Amino acid sequence: MVCLCTASGAVISGGALGGASRWFRRESGSGGESHFDGNCDAMAEDIRTKLEHYKTAPFDSRFPNQNQTRNCWQNYLDFHRCEKAMAAKGADATPCQWYYRVYKSICPMSWVTTWDEYREEGTFPGKI
Amino acid sequence: MAHQAHSYHMVDPSPWPIFGAAAALLTTSGLIMWFHYNTSTLLMAGLLSMLLVMLQWWRDVIRESTFQGHHTPTVQKGLRYGMILFITSEVFFFLGFFWAFFHSSLAPTPELGGQWPPTGINPLNPLDVPLLNTAILLASGVTVTWAHHSITEGNRKQAIHALTLTIALGLYFTALQAMEYHETSFSIADSIYGSTFFVATGFHGLHVIIGSSFLTVCLLRLIKFHFTSNHHFGFEAAAWYWHFVDIVWLFLYMSMYWWGSC
């Protein structure tokens, strides 16, 4: 059975997750079609550990400057894309919580409220 | 003294400069009244007076030069500098609008969906009418150069044909662009995309109309034998202006129509 951890590999390329960028990339592991299983479990624990120890959004070299708007926007998008992709595959959406934590940490609440309303109405301008 | 001991033109007193300033005041305040209070009377008065001043001032320049012979080579040199400086100022004018376009399109905000063109905007296909318009203006650049060569070679018939063709191409561009404006699915009010697109292409269109008018005056003067094969600066100035308009279009096409639609 192919591990579904790599399902969203094409959708999200994230530096923010640090270890998670490995998370969504195929690892060379044991041969055979189920060669992701072992790594998947290790990764699952990895992300859970990261989430447990989460304090605040870490430095993301994709957004090195003072204006962090794009950082907030990207993580908001990535969370919802992750949820959508995982739901489509019927997989565990726990890793998506990373993006949730990051955007909750850095986005202004009013932006999140507004964007949530837009998504409700179907007028959200971003691609999810 | 009866004769001047220099080659400059000391112009006779003229009312046009101060009337032109008054016309500018009426026009600018007229724009404000139109924008904010939806009345166009003052604006119409401003534009009318501006038109009358332009017609009469430039009519006087033609009288002083063609009919009275005041435009020595020295005077012509000054006019060349003047036209070049004016066109340079126009370059900076357009530069501002290009700056605005790139500011918004290189880093599109979340409100636009983080993409360019923004979410919901269907841009014009650059390979459609805009490409034809590019070909039209490039061709008109060729025909205006043909007209210039015809003038310097003393070929009256070809000069008239080439200049007429140039003007016709300019009118064709204007008509096509007006049709395009009618056909777009977006308006000037549709986010910063609409603003940058219509303000930049709109001012360009205005300059095409100005350039076409300038060339038309030159055609009338050409027909009436105002130009010699050596002295035809009015035509050269019009040709420079026309080339400038063509180049601005090329930049508009490459940035807004082509790059801005991907």
Side-chain angles (χ1 to χ4, degrees):
Chain A
M1 194 157 295
V2 176
C3 176
L4 294 165
C5 303
T6 58
S8 313
V11 175
I12 300 157
S13 60
L17 266 164
S21 58
R22 294 196 301 279
W23 179 255
F24 290 114
R25 222 173 279 148
R26 290 170 54 134
E27 297 241 299
S28 58
S30 47
E33 71 165 343
S34 62
H35 63 264
F36 291 125
D37 283 339
N39 287 336
C40 213
D41 291 337
M43 291 287 200
E45 280 169 25
D46 215 20
I47 188 67
R48 286 200 175 89
T49 321
K50 280 185 101 72
L51 285 168
E52 265 166 52
H53 289 115
Y54 184 89
K55 294 273 187 294
T56 189
F59 173 71
D60 188 341
S61 60
R62 293 176 301 168
F63 316 107
N65 297 324
Q66 182 174 343
N67 188 332
Q68 293 289 295
T69 303
R70 197 79 188 184
N71 194 350
C72 151
W73 171 251
Q74 195 59 54
N75 280 285
Y76 184 88
L77 281 181
D78 286 347
F79 170 67
H80 290 96
R81 289 173 180 173
C82 178
E83 292 252 287
K84 186 176 173 191
M86 294 309 205
K89 302 279 179 180
D92 173 31
T94 313
C96 303
Q97 282 300 306
W98 175 266
Y99 301 120
Y100 180 82
R101 296 285 187 92
V102 172
Y103 92 67
K104 274 289 183 186
S105 298
I106 62 178
C107 290
M109 281 163 51
S110 61
W111 294 11
V112 176
T113 313
T114 304
W115 293 340
D116 288 343
E117 281 167 13
Y118 286 161
R119 282 188 304 110
E120 273 292 312
E121 289 171 9
T123 57
F124 184 69
K127 273 199 201 97
I128 291 184
Chain B
M1 63 181 177
H3 302 288
Q4 62 189 50
H6 60 82
S7 55
Y8 295 94
H9 181 201
M10 300 301 288
V11 184
D12 288 335
S14 165
W16 310 129
I18 195 153
F19 283 171
L25 176 62
L26 290 176
T27 308
T28 47
S29 47
L31 273 173
I32 292 168
M33 292 305 288
W34 185 51
F35 286 159
H36 292 273
Y37 302 107
N38 201 23
T39 58
S40 49
T41 321
L42 204 57
L43 180 59
M44 292 300 121
L47 290 174
L48 179 65
S49 49
M50 203 165 88
L51 182 66
L52 288 170
V53 167
M54 290 194 295
L55 288 174
Q56 292 175 105
W57 192 335
W58 285 326
R59 174 208 64 192
D60 284 355
V61 174
I62 293 171
R63 285 175 175 175
E64 290 158 9
S65 57
T66 306
F67 305 142
Q68 295 174 4
H70 287 289
H71 283 199
T72 62
T74 312
V75 172
Q76 204 191 116
K77 195 154 175 247
L79 290 169
R80 284 176 190 276
Y81 277 132
M83 193 64 192
I84 287 167
L85 288 168
F86 174 64
I87 291 175
T88 307
S89 78
E90 295 249 79
V91 168
F92 282 108
F93 180 69
F94 277 97
L95 230 48
F97 296 121
F98 277 100
W99 183 352
F101 169 72
F102 282 114
H103 176 98
S104 298
S105 59
L106 285 167
T109 61
E111 288 80 0
L112 306 173
Q115 61 187 44
W116 192 275
T119 309
I121 296 279
N122 290 318
L124 294 167
N125 182 358
L127 301 175
D128 205 336
V129 174
L131 185 59
L132 173 60
N133 273 342
T134 305
I136 289 167
L137 285 184
L138 286 172
S140 71
V142 170
T143 53
V144 80
T145 307
W146 173 22
H148 192 192
H149 284 251
S150 301
I151 290 172
T152 47
E153 288 159 24
N155 192 333
R156 176 181 168 80
K157 193 166 71 116
Q158 282 201 20
I160 291 172
H161 286 172
L163 186 48
T164 306
L165 192 47
T166 308
I167 295 164
L169 288 167
L171 293 172
Y172 188 28
F173 175 95
T174 304
L176 283 170
Q177 192 70 330
M179 191 210 75
E180 281 284 273
Y181 268 28
H182 191 65
E183 297 281 326
T184 55
S185 60
F186 55 89
S187 77
I188 196 172
D190 286 320
S191 82
I192 193 65
Y193 182 90
S195 300
T196 49
F197 181 86
F198 284 109
V199 168
T201 60
F203 271 118
H204 174 262
L206 177 63
H207 284 70
V208 171
I209 292 167
I210 292 168
S212 302
S213 307
F214 196 171
L215 288 168
T216 305
V217 168
C218 286
L219 178 61
L220 294 171
R221 295 185 67 202
L222 176 63
I223 291 168
K224 287 154 89 63
F225 301 94
H226 286 203
F227 301 136
T228 73
S229 53
N230 291 324
H231 190 166
H232 44 264
F233 178 66
F235 175 84
E236 288 183 68
W240 291 350
Y241 196 78
W242 193 251
H243 287 305
F244 155 71
V245 159
D246 184 13
I247 290 166
V248 169
W249 170 260
L250 293 176
F251 280 105
L252 277 175
Y253 180 76
M254 288 190 292
S255 53
M256 296 196 188
Y257 284 90
W258 194 353
W259 177 81
S261 73
C262 298

